[in-house]
Amino acid sequence: MPSSIELVDRPRVLIAGGGYVGLYVALGLQKKIAQAGGIVTVVDPMPYMTYQPFLPEVAGGNIEARHVVVPLRRTLPQAEVIQGSIVAVDHAKRTATVQLPGNEGTAEIPYVDIVVAAGAITRTFPIPGLAEKGIGNKTIEEAIALRNQVLERIEFASTAADPAERAAALTFVVVGGGFAGIETITELEDLARSTVAKNGRVKQEEVRFVLVEAMGRIMPEVTPEQAEWVVEHLRSRGIEVLLNTSLANAEGALQLINMPDKSPAQEFAADTLIWCAGVQANPLVRSTDFPLEPRGRIRTLPDLRIAGDEGIVENAWAAGDVAAVPDLTGKGLPDGTCVPNAQHALRQAKVLAKNLWASRWDRPLEDYKHKNLGAVAGFGPWKGVANINIVGHIGLRGPLAWVAHRGYHGLAIPTLERKFRVGLDWLSALFAGRDNTPLENLDNPRAAFVAAASPKPQTPAPPAEPAKVPAQ
């Protein structure tokens, strides 16, 4: 049914998605469009943008969860922010259908220009049991849940009488050897190590961390030599690294197979299964009338206008993980498009905002061309790897790489206020150490109240003593 949402009655630039691209396009356009008599409207299911490179540190307890999300309304005071999900786009009619939270109604939003910036979602495969047992680390909610899961399982194991239950509770598996998987498993291993050190009923040698990667190497963003060093580093910390190995079944015990012959590898029980095996374009793109390429991303020109075999789609733009943007440096994916990462998304957003504004005045548009500056990764305090390409090539590992990781991302997170909060988190952790306190019952916050408010069973009164008959 239609919704009663009130929309600003002005020519609209509609931004589908409030992530890296959506936030920075809105920042670049909100004031200009408002001064010209229009409005920038950002639609996203969440009221905040998540700075995803910090999610492993949130899971590891080094950064407060709220500090890595950027509130859209506070950051975009001159824009219109709508919390909801775009479920269809009819560009021929210049309308988008938005499903609003908390009701079954939808809203039709008219627009002049649209920017598709819906980003990516976790890419999964039809592995039995994965949907029921697995968890990713792509949202702030998942990062919080992972931290609590690790802490809760260690506490459970400390009092478990059954050896099999104890072993399963202390086994943590991460599938995916890219940046997200490596940073997640190392931060959680650090968290578990510091937690076990404070619990006399669990020994460190009982804790098992396993990294599963289907390819023959990890972290394609760094050099082969650096990747080999990372594997050695992980194994030196007791983390099992299983290359050329894939998850075949997650029902009951985890079943691993060797690649590519699909022969059985290992089978063991694990209570924690973390999936970090890549991303795919947001399925929103399949509900639009825009041209797609084989990987399911929207086709664009280098100037970030959407274009297909029939030419340019007027007043339609896309960037980030959801778009197949040609990489003019020749250093991108094998199909010639930009690698889907935050570095490209941020810079594409700034070019897109300039080009959209320029198109209003028939000015020349700028092609997106950006040389990859490299990659940095943190593996817990004073540990990391970096591949820096600013002036020549600089390869770092250990403490210097960790400093580079924090320096880059500390500057890259949007807004000065968020930089300040994250900096204070790091400073407090430097002196006070990692926070190992679990937060219980986040999935059922009313549990204590319900228990208190529920009627209590009446305790039966003791049987009355027989009445004494007075003596005659």
Side-chain angles (χ1 to χ4, degrees):
M1 64 177 69
S3 172
S4 60
I5 183 173
E6 294 184 7
L7 298 173
V8 176
D9 187 17
R10 281 187 266 165
R12 177 175 285 102
V13 175
L14 178 63
I15 301 178
Y20 297 102
V21 174
L23 177 66
Y24 277 99
V25 170
L27 283 170
L29 289 176
Q30 61 174 349
K31 184 176 181 180
K32 295 177 181 178
I33 295 295
Q35 290 175 340
I39 186 72
V40 171
T41 299
V42 179
V43 179
D44 194 277
M46 296 298 178
Y48 48 75
M49 171 262 196
T50 302
Y51 192 71
Q52 294 177 356
F54 280 155
L55 292 180
E57 288 205 57
V58 171
N62 282 320
I63 300 178
E64 161 63 36
R66 291 174 301 167
H67 297 168
V68 305
V69 297
V70 181
L72 296 177
R73 293 188 190 279
R74 176 175 178 173
T75 312
L76 303 172
Q78 294 175 286
E80 182 181 52
V81 176
I82 298 176
Q83 189 175 345
S85 301
I86 294 181
V87 294
V89 174
D90 187 343
H91 191 64
K93 296 181 179 179
R94 300 294 196 274
T95 60
T97 303
V98 178
Q99 179 75 51
L100 302 173
N103 62 58
E104 299 179 357
T106 59
E108 297 291 329
I109 300 182
Y111 62 83
V112 175
D113 288 272
I114 187 170
V115 177
V116 184
I121 64 171
T122 300
R123 180 188 63 186
T124 60
F125 301 102
I127 298 172
L130 176 60
E132 294 76 20
K133 191 169 187 176
I135 183 173
N137 193 20
K138 191 169 172 57
T139 69
I140 192 66
E141 295 80 9
E142 288 176 322
I144 296 170
L146 278 177
R147 179 173 176 274
N148 288 326
Q149 166 81 359
V150 171
L151 296 175
E152 186 277 331
R153 288 290 84 190
I154 292 174
E155 185 62 30
F156 168 83
S158 71
T159 56
D162 186 331
E165 288 186 347
R166 185 181 179 97
L170 294 175
T171 301
F172 307 93
V173 178
V174 174
V175 179
F179 263 52
I182 301 298
E183 290 188 308
T184 295
I185 198 169
T186 50
E187 285 285 352
L188 291 179
E189 193 275 336
D190 256 9
L191 173 66
R193 185 177 293 272
S194 64
T195 302
V196 167
K198 298 177 176 66
N199 191 324
R201 296 190 298 269
V202 179
K203 297 179 181 179
Q204 180 59 40
E205 52 266 29
E206 294 181 276
V207 182
R208 183 183 185 190
F209 277 85
V210 182
L211 177 71
V212 178
E213 169 54 48
M215 305 298 291
R217 62 161 287 183
I218 62 172
M219 301 182 76
E221 300 89 345
V222 301
T223 65
E225 293 76 17
Q226 287 175 313
E228 291 177 4
W229 176 84
V230 173
V231 171
E232 294 175 2
H233 170 77
L234 297 179
R235 288 172 174 163
S236 72
R237 294 168 61 169
I239 299 173
E240 299 176 41
V241 181
L242 306 180
L243 302 178
N244 296 307
T245 306
S246 181
L247 176 67
N249 197 314
E251 293 178 324
L254 302 186
Q255 297 176 15
L256 306 180
I257 58 174
N258 295 311
M259 301 292 288
D261 62 4
K262 306 296 177 65
S263 61
Q266 295 189 36
E267 182 173 337
F268 54 86
D271 288 352
T272 305
L273 173 62
I274 307 167
W275 185 267
C276 298
V279 297
Q280 60 183 342
N282 193 303
L284 160 67
V285 300
R286 296 194 290 270
S287 300
T288 72
D289 46 3
F290 297 130
L292 306 180
E293 47 88 69
R295 292 166 61 98
R297 299 172 297 168
I298 295 176
R299 296 168 60 183
T300 76
L301 298 176
D303 58 21
L304 304 171
R305 288 180 294 176
I306 295 176
D309 294 336
E310 299 180 0
I312 296 171
V313 181
E314 297 295 336
N315 301 98
W317 310 76
D321 293 354
V322 79
V325 179
D327 191 331
L328 300 183
T329 68
K331 302 293 185 180
L333 296 173
D335 63 0
T337 60
C338 292
V339 176
N341 61 26
Q343 190 178 140
H344 279 302
L346 170 60
R347 289 165 174 80
Q348 288 171 9
K350 295 181 178 181
V351 173
L352 193 158
K354 292 178 182 178
N355 283 351
L356 193 154
W357 181 248
S359 71
R360 292 288 181 91
W361 311 101
D362 294 324
R363 295 172 183 166
L365 306 185
E366 172 188 346
D367 283 347
Y368 174 75
K369 184 177 181 180
H370 168 66
K371 179 184 177 182
N372 195 309
L373 300 178
V376 290
F379 304 154
W382 308 107
K383 302 180 285 288
V385 67
N387 185 20
I388 302 173
N389 299 321
I390 298 177
V391 180
H393 174 264
I394 302 175
L396 301 174
R397 60 192 187 189
L400 286 179
W402 177 78
V403 170
H405 159 75
R406 284 204 163 177
Y408 174 80
H409 288 298
L411 293 173
I413 186 171
T415 79
L416 182 61
E417 179 256 347
R418 258 21 188 191
K419 299 179 199 295
F420 179 72
R421 291 184 185 275
V422 169
L424 287 181
D425 287 341
W426 284 339
L427 186 63
S428 63
L430 184 64
F431 291 100
R434 188 187 301 267
D435 190 339
N436 298 78
T437 307
L439 297 177
E440 301 289 343
N441 294 323
L442 289 182
D443 57 341
N444 186 18
R446 296 183 63 247
F449 178 81
V450 170
S454 299
K456 304 298 185 295
Q458 297 295 324
T459 302
E465 293 184 6
K468 293 183 179 181
V469 180
Q472 296 296 323

